[in-house]
Amino acid sequence: MTNTIKKTIAAILVLSTLLCVCACSASDDKTVRVYNWGDYIDDTVIAQFEDETGYKVIYEKFDTNETMYAKIANGNTNYDVLVPSDYMIQRLIAEDMLQKIDFANVPNFANVGDDYKGISYDPNDEYSVPYMWGTLGILYNKTMVDEEVDSWEMLWNEKYKERIFMLDSSRDSICAALSLLGYSINTTDEKELAEAKQKLIDQIPLVGGYLVDDIKDKMIGGEGALCIAWAGDAEYCMSQNKDLEYIIPKEGSNIFFDSMCIPKTAKNKAGAEAFINFMCKPEISAKNAEYIGYSTPIPAARELMGEKGQSKAAYPDVSKYELEIFSDAGDANRLYDQIWTEVLASIDN
Amino acid sequence: MEKTAGKRTVHSSQRQGAAKFLALPLIIWLAVFVIVPLFLVCCYGFTAEGADGTLHFSFENFARFTEPIYVKIMVRSLKIALISTVICLVLGYPAAYIMSRSSSKIRTLIILLILMPMWMNFMLRIHAWLTLLENGGLINTLLAAMGLEKVEFLGSEGAVVLGMVYNFLPFMIMSIYMVLLKLDNSLLEAAYDLGATPVQRFIKIIIPFSVPGILSGISMVFVPSVTTFAISQYFSNGTVRLIGDTIEKQFGAANNWNFGAAISIVVMVIVMLSMFAINKVDDGDIGERKMII
């Protein structure tokens, strides 16, 4: 009697474990799995999409392109929509990890401005649809920094020791060092990269923290005087703290495009295309851009935003600056990763 | 009499059979989720990707770990873990002792207070601390309101130690408390009768008796302290890099699983060796109980 009960319990335990495993991998046509940057959407937009289309969205976030790539490249993931940046899209295409989008299902692609179509990472607009764009620059607190900020040099200024915050993102932080040294931000030259690495190691004593999304809190809270920032994050911080200002350094910087694409491993291509199409609606894109601070590639959306659509930080006159787009470093990717690992490892308090 | 004995034998063998059967899920669980992953970690650690993208057997990941920057991180991690463990012991022992000596009502209350925070999510607790300690946080706002200078709490090794002590102290207290609870009062009474002073009783009876608790407390605090990454990342704004952070980076942004796995193996060996050293202290007549790593 007791034996039977025990056996039954044991059997149930085993079965439920197995069921758990099965249930987790189950998916249906009504689910869209989206893998996007953290703090990169107005959550109400997701609910709106679910209401209008009947799809259910499973939404996950990453903090850097590299983290996303590591997960996609190694794991058995089944995301339907990814939102990587330009150079990462180029890499994913080169490594045959993306599938072509059926643009017949994305009629709203017509809303995207011509400036944001046919860019080098996806020259024929086959794999990606722009979600947001922006520049990389310096966000600083006017009450703490009384001199003119126009150069990357400011992030190496001893006066602001431990009040400088850097992005824990390899390409972006290395970009600042490369620009300052006068090298291309896409260099694969080992000597130039070694110099950039040394520059970043020299900077360590001045840096108050290496963070990603948490930098925003530090700047809004007045803890940081200067930081390297994406324009959209800067725009958001400036809306929360009026003492903050954003500039693009004179040495030049990076312009980036975060675009939606569909990985080869997607389970629900139709759902993914519906999601992408929805995000290209002017009113939706405007809602997102207003909420997150990044720049919409959809002119009609920008018009809907009124004053916010005219912000100098989010919509600079790009012809005035030396802006370069990141390209996939190819074989040098390992070098970039290694440099960043070693810079972080050299931090010695 | 004989009949009963026979019956008992049958009964216990039946029980053993059932026990074996019941252990099966655990064995499967361990095999799938402990042994296989461990094997995979070794596979990654001892291989490296060649120029053509193929994997080959190699020690190069371990060789890379011997570079000074990584050795330094390892030493720093061990140092911070050691400091945290000592502080936990110094704070935890008296707490455990007082608890074991108090009335059951007070005891229940103290246990509740110690354990209650642990019912909350770990990340939530870390963020609560940040809200307190940040430059614009509660404590500093209060200090500023009182006209005092702000204190920089976060961003140093001290802050990381604070985070670790806060998070792991309950493990130390509970380990020691569980042992002290079993201390037979008659032992102390006997010592008293034989003229032992309170200090003598503490040193000669209570401390030796609690050694197993101290040792298990040490391993409960030391092991997670060596390998944590969330605490160091948040309490230092990413400026105190520990070995856990380095491993996490290799499996994330740096995308070098082979190197990450190699570091994990080295850390595992170091932790095992230190646990082995601690166990050595534990043998002899006091330690009937073997340590659980």
Side-chain angles (χ1 to χ4, degrees):
Chain A
M1 174 63 183
T2 44
N3 225 343
T4 338
I5 292 176
K6 278 176 190 164
K7 273 184 188 166
T8 321
I9 293 175
I12 289 173
L13 277 176
V14 174
L15 271 177
S16 54
T17 316
L18 285 176
L19 270 177
C20 267
V21 176
C22 299
C24 298
S25 59
S27 95
D28 54 279
D29 313 346
K30 278 290 159 200
T31 308
V32 185
R33 289 168 190 269
V34 181
Y35 197 29
N36 195 356
W37 294 78
D39 292 353
Y40 216 41
I41 199 164
D42 179 341
D43 287 333
T44 61
V45 163
I46 299 177
Q48 221 173 320
F49 170 73
E50 289 179 329
D51 284 347
E52 280 185 30
T53 60
Y55 284 110
K56 195 186 161 331
V57 176
I58 297 178
Y59 193 83
E60 283 182 51
K61 302 163 193 177
F62 55 86
D63 61 353
T64 62
N65 281 303
E66 287 70 23
T67 328
M68 182 226 60
Y69 176 81
K71 197 158 175 193
I72 301 290
N74 293 301
N76 237 332
T77 55
N78 52 355
Y79 298 112
D80 300 308
V81 181
L82 300 177
V83 194
S85 308
D86 32 57
Y87 70 98
M88 194 47 80
I89 293 174
Q90 199 182 351
R91 181 173 182 183
L92 293 173
I93 294 174
E95 294 178 9
D96 198 26
M97 288 162 72
L98 297 183
Q99 52 179 311
K100 287 188 181 172
I101 297 173
D102 183 354
F103 280 86
N105 298 329
V106 191
N108 289 338
F109 181 64
N111 296 334
V112 175
D114 288 338
D115 292 347
Y116 314 102
K117 285 181 181 166
I119 304 170
S120 54
Y121 59 88
D122 182 15
N124 302 319
D125 288 321
E126 292 170 306
Y127 294 95
S128 65
V129 173
Y131 177 71
M132 292 286 157
W133 66 278
T135 53
L136 182 72
I138 299 174
L139 177 70
Y140 68 100
N141 190 318
K142 285 178 281 185
T143 59
M144 297 163 87
V145 182
D146 45 16
E147 53 210 299
E148 196 195 350
V149 179
D150 64 350
S151 158
W152 287 118
E153 193 71 58
M154 286 302 287
L155 296 179
W156 272 262
N157 190 326
E158 301 253 349
K159 249 170 84 183
Y160 306 104
K161 194 170 188 299
E162 290 181 11
R163 291 272 167 269
I164 295 167
F165 284 79
M166 291 297 281
L167 278 170
D168 183 359
S169 169
S170 51
R171 284 302 292 262
D172 297 291
S173 285
I174 295 173
C175 164
L178 286 172
S179 298
L180 183 56
L181 291 164
Y183 299 136
S184 158
I185 61 174
N186 287 312
T187 185
T188 52
D189 182 304
E190 284 191 28
K191 228 187 90 225
E192 291 179 0
L193 282 168
E195 269 181 64
K197 176 179 153 191
Q198 192 51 48
K199 195 92 194 149
L200 290 165
I201 291 177
D202 294 343
Q203 187 199 23
I204 289 171
L206 310 178
V207 177
Y210 294 85
L211 306 163
V212 183
D213 283 327
D214 294 325
I215 287 193
K216 287 182 272 184
D217 295 335
K218 303 283 174 202
M219 294 306 290
I220 294 168
E223 205 163 318
L226 297 137
C227 77
I228 176 172
W230 294 304
D233 281 359
E235 180 75 17
Y236 171 78
C237 293
M238 282 149 66
S239 73
Q240 303 293 311
N241 182 342
K242 298 294 170 211
D243 296 331
L244 299 175
E245 184 71 49
Y246 173 81
I247 60 106
I248 300 170
K250 61 181 180 200
E251 294 92 354
S253 184
N254 165 244
I255 180 168
F256 61 84
F257 303 90
D258 294 334
S259 301
M260 298 173 278
C261 29
I262 307 177
K264 279 245 159 98
T265 50
K267 291 261 162 63
N268 185 0
K269 189 164 187 249
E273 285 163 349
F275 184 86
I276 294 172
N277 192 44
F278 191 80
M279 291 299 139
C280 290
K281 283 186 176 183
E283 64 276 20
I284 296 299
S285 188
K287 210 168 167 186
N288 278 333
E290 250 172 71
Y291 185 80
I292 62 178
Y294 282 79
S295 325
T296 169
I298 295 171
R302 203 178 146 189
E303 269 165 40
L304 287 174
M305 290 167 63
E307 206 177 298
K308 273 193 168 175
Q310 298 307 318
S311 142
K312 263 201 324 207
Y315 302 96
D317 179 358
V318 288
S319 61
K320 274 199 196 155
Y321 304 94
E322 298 219 9
L323 296 173
E324 210 179 331
I325 182 169
F326 281 137
S327 60
D328 177 25
D331 291 342
N333 275 321
R334 268 200 114 82
L335 205 55
Y336 273 91
D337 290 337
Q338 190 162 345
I339 286 176
W340 192 237
T341 300
E342 289 179 11
V343 169
L344 292 180
S346 309
I347 297 170
D348 194 358
N349 256 23
Chain B
M1 194 63 194
E2 252 184 55
K3 219 177 172 184
T4 342
K7 206 176 167 190
R8 198 174 276 163
T9 335
V10 172
H11 195 79
S12 79
S13 83
Q14 234 176 18
R15 227 188 231 168
Q16 254 177 7
K20 258 186 203 161
F21 186 73
L22 280 173
L24 201 63
L26 178 70
I27 292 168
I28 296 173
W29 182 269
L30 287 179
V32 175
F33 295 109
V34 177
I35 297 173
V36 173
L38 214 56
F39 175 73
L40 287 176
V41 167
C42 289
C43 284
Y44 273 107
F46 286 100
T47 51
E49 208 173 308
D52 52 350
T54 53
L55 290 176
H56 57 91
F57 182 83
S58 155
F59 284 108
E60 72 181 60
N61 301 307
F62 293 94
R64 185 172 166 200
F65 189 69
T66 57
E67 284 173 27
I69 46 172
Y70 300 113
V71 174
K72 232 165 149 184
I73 295 180
M74 190 67 237
V75 171
R76 183 188 305 144
S77 303
L78 289 171
K79 185 187 82 186
I80 290 183
L82 201 66
I83 295 173
S84 307
T85 311
V86 170
I87 295 178
C88 280
L89 183 59
V90 171
L91 292 177
Y93 198 95
Y97 180 70
I98 293 167
M99 273 162 69
S100 70
R101 299 281 102 186
S102 28
S103 71
S104 68
K105 245 188 191 165
I106 294 178
R107 195 185 286 164
T108 320
L109 181 73
I110 301 179
I111 294 182
L112 195 70
L113 287 176
I114 291 174
L115 292 185
M116 208 152 52
M118 305 198 73
W119 300 342
M120 239 186 293
N121 180 285
F122 169 72
M123 290 309 289
L124 205 64
R125 276 182 284 145
I126 289 187
H127 278 278
W129 269 99
L130 296 186
T131 319
L132 286 176
L133 299 180
E134 270 166 350
N135 268 17
L138 272 176
I139 295 178
N140 272 325
T141 315
L142 256 172
L143 287 178
M146 289 191 292
L148 297 168
E149 202 144 309
K150 284 193 175 185
V151 182
E152 193 104 2
F153 291 108
L154 300 174
S156 63
E157 284 187 6
V160 177
V161 170
L162 172 72
M164 287 187 182
V165 170
Y166 165 72
N167 269 292
F168 303 132
L169 185 60
F171 297 119
M172 181 66 88
I173 297 180
M174 293 314 287
S175 303
I176 300 174
Y177 165 73
M178 293 309 249
V179 173
L180 283 179
L181 204 58
K182 289 185 221 135
L183 176 59
D184 193 344
N185 235 357
S186 56
L187 275 178
L188 293 175
E189 280 160 14
Y192 181 75
D193 280 349
L194 295 170
T197 64
V199 176
Q200 275 177 327
R201 269 179 281 157
F202 188 73
I203 294 175
K204 297 230 158 145
I205 298 177
I206 298 173
I207 289 195
F209 186 83
S210 59
V211 165
I214 294 175
L215 294 176
S216 91
I218 288 176
S219 60
M220 294 279 273
V221 174
F222 184 73
V223 175
S225 300
V226 174
T227 49
T228 181
F229 59 89
I231 296 175
S232 53
Q233 270 169 17
Y234 282 94
F235 278 77
S236 76
N237 293 331
T239 58
V240 175
R241 290 277 152 179
L242 300 185
I243 204 71
D245 301 305
T246 314
I247 296 173
E248 191 252 358
K249 261 273 173 294
Q250 297 310 311
F251 284 93
N255 195 29
N256 188 342
W257 287 28
N258 306 93
F259 186 44
I263 308 177
S264 307
I265 294 170
V266 175
V267 173
M268 217 146 54
V269 170
I270 292 176
V271 168
M272 262 158 69
L273 287 178
S274 41
M275 287 304 106
F276 182 73
I278 292 175
N279 274 331
K280 277 277 155 206
V281 184
D282 191 24
D283 58 17
D285 50 355
I286 330 151
E288 303 124 60
R289 212 162 64 86
K290 273 290 149 213
M291 301 276 299
I292 305 151
I293 296 173

